[in-house]
């Protein structure tokens, strides 16, 4: 006789062909926790709090002498699935994933991310408040990364950043303005059209600096990922950006565009966990 266990508000019900029999179970409202993780609360220079989620490395140090690190934006939404994808695959277990999120349980904090990931704009267009991209980069570079390095042995040559949508736009901005900060950038469905394509001047400066050998892009990569059902503008902007960066491949910059079929702007992050991990954790420097 088949039996189905159903958990309903602390009561386990045994559903049998002969009827429904209820058994009392001790109610436990504790939240689900993720094994192999820890959480920090950090604040930036202005006192704004961040919820930092750490997926800890497993096993001995890699031959490089340090653990690779992947920093993930909008961590409330995207950290858990990346953490479990990492732990389930032996090839990725030695990596550290550092999620940058916000206090509370909302998957996406609209107001905080709108400010953190965006450039300054004129006052008449500053609703919601924008312009915090450099403050967030300062927090990552001067507060978060040093704290991670205090607690773990980090491979300084294998540090990566992943963001989606506004976060993907911020990730591209990071490559253009602080190219030494991360070795690999993964940008999913980036909002490259934002504020009249504001990233074009930083892109030109980045390209000029690379061509003049004032910055080293030998071991740098940019993976652009878009959904088939993203807006045509988003897909075309990503393709055009990759084409413009293609000449830098002669200097070592690896760039790519991947279109994920049958997904839209909000569903694509939950199809690409393995692609993100492969992009940043299989690249070899030495």
């Amino acid at each position: 006789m088949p039996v189905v266990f159903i958990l309903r508000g602390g009561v386990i019900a045994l559903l049998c062909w002969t009827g429904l029999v209820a058994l009392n179970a001790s109610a436990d409202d504790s939240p689900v926790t993720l094994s192999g993780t820890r959480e920090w609360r950090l604040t930036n220079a202005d006192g704004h709090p961040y919820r930092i989620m750490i997926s800890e490395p497993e096993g001995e140090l890699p031959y490089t002498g340090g653990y690779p690190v992947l920093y993930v934006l909008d961590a409330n939404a995207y950290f858990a699935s990346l953490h479990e994808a990492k732990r389930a695959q032996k090839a990725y277990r030695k990596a550290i994933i550092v999620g940058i999120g916000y206090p509370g349980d909302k998957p996406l904090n609209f107001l905080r991310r709108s400010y953190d990931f965006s450039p300054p704009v004129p006052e008449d267009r500053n609703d919601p408040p924008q312009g915090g991209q450099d403050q967030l980069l300062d927090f990552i570079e001067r507060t978060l990364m040093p704290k991670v390095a205090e607690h773990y042995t980090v491979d300084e040559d294998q540090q990566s950043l992943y963001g989606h949508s506004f976060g993907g736009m911020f990730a591209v901005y990071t490559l253009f303005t602080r190219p030494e900060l991360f070795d690999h950038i993964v940008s999913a469905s980036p909002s490259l059209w934002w504020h009249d394509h504001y990233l074009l001047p930083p892109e030109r400066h980045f390209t000029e600096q690379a061509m003049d050998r004032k910055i080293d892009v030998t071991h740098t990569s940019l993976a652009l990922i878009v959904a088939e059902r993203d807006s045509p503008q988003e897909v075309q902007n990503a393709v055009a950006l990759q084409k413009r960066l293609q000449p830098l491949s002669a200097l070592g910059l690896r760039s790519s565009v991947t279109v994920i079929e049958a997904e839209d702007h909000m569903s694509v992050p939950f199809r690409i966990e393995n692609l993100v991990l492969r992009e940043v954790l299989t690249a070899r420097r030495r």
Side-chain angles (χ1 to χ4, degrees):
M1 180 183 306
V3 177
V4 179
F5 293 88
I6 307 173
L7 183 61
R8 291 177 178 168
V11 175
I12 296 178
L14 296 179
L15 182 60
C16 310
W17 292 122
T18 56
L20 185 66
V21 181
L23 300 179
N24 288 329
S26 59
D28 186 355
D29 294 329
S30 299
V32 174
T33 59
L34 297 175
S35 299
T37 66
R38 66 191 302 182
E39 182 171 328
W40 300 333
R41 295 297 175 104
L42 300 179
T43 57
N44 66 10
D46 292 331
H48 298 301
Y50 289 90
R51 183 183 176 196
I52 305 301
M53 308 170 204
I54 311 291
S55 173
E56 299 193 292
E58 299 179 25
E60 298 178 354
L61 280 175
Y63 73 94
T64 58
Y67 297 108
V69 186
L70 169 62
Y71 290 84
V72 178
L73 303 172
D74 286 320
N76 294 48
Y78 307 134
F79 172 82
S81 58
L82 283 163
H83 164 71
E84 295 298 357
K86 185 204 84 168
R87 293 190 73 226
Q89 301 177 79
K90 185 177 180 180
Y92 301 142
R93 289 176 190 163
K94 292 185 178 183
I96 300 168
I97 299 177
V98 179
I100 304 170
Y102 304 105
D105 58 4
K106 288 183 179 180
L108 297 168
N109 187 314
F110 175 73
L111 291 177
R112 289 290 303 274
R113 71 193 301 271
S114 294
Y115 182 78
D116 277 351
F117 302 155
S118 63
V121 296
E123 188 60 34
D124 61 352
R125 299 175 66 176
N126 195 35
D127 185 18
Q130 299 159 60
Q133 57 187 10
D134 289 313
Q135 289 172 266
L136 178 56
L137 278 174
D138 287 344
F139 167 75
I140 293 172
E141 182 174 7
R142 300 172 187 174
T143 300
L144 180 55
M145 296 179 86
K147 184 172 177 63
V148 172
E150 284 178 10
H151 285 78
Y152 304 96
T153 304
V154 170
D155 183 350
E156 299 291 343
D157 295 330
Q158 279 283 71
Q159 302 203 74
S160 308
L161 177 66
Y162 164 54
H164 167 253
S165 190
F166 243 37
M169 176 183 76
F170 173 85
V172 174
Y173 175 78
T174 301
L175 172 64
F176 291 160
T177 60
R178 304 196 195 190
E180 74 291 340
L181 199 56
F182 295 102
D183 303 282
H184 309 295
I185 300 289
V186 179
S187 174
S189 298
S191 305
L192 300 177
W193 47 269
W194 186 255
H195 193 41
D196 303 324
H197 295 266
Y198 88 99
L199 285 173
L200 287 174
E203 177 194 333
R204 286 192 288 268
H205 181 70
F206 168 78
T207 300
E208 291 168 0
Q209 293 284 97
M211 288 294 191
D212 292 341
R213 308 298 178 96
K214 294 180 180 178
I215 57 174
D216 184 5
V217 296
T218 305
H219 301 288
T220 304
S221 72
L222 170 63
L224 296 160
I225 305 171
V226 292
E228 181 182 33
R229 296 174 184 168
D230 265 324
S231 72
Q233 182 182 26
E234 285 178 318
V235 176
Q236 292 163 9
N237 284 343
V239 171
L241 172 58
Q242 195 276 331
K243 286 183 178 179
R244 292 195 302 271
L245 294 178
Q246 190 60 36
L248 297 184
S249 65
L251 302 177
L253 178 70
R254 176 168 57 89
S255 61
S256 63
V257 178
T258 303
V259 179
I260 306 300
E261 296 182 354
E263 300 298 341
D264 60 31
H265 189 77
M266 295 308 298
S267 68
V268 70
F270 305 103
R271 271 280 306 278
I272 63 173
E273 290 91 347
N274 282 324
L275 177 56
V276 172
L277 294 175
R278 186 166 64 250
E279 283 286 346
V280 302
L281 298 179
T282 62
R284 300 183 63 175
R285 185 161 185 154
R286 55 180 184 269

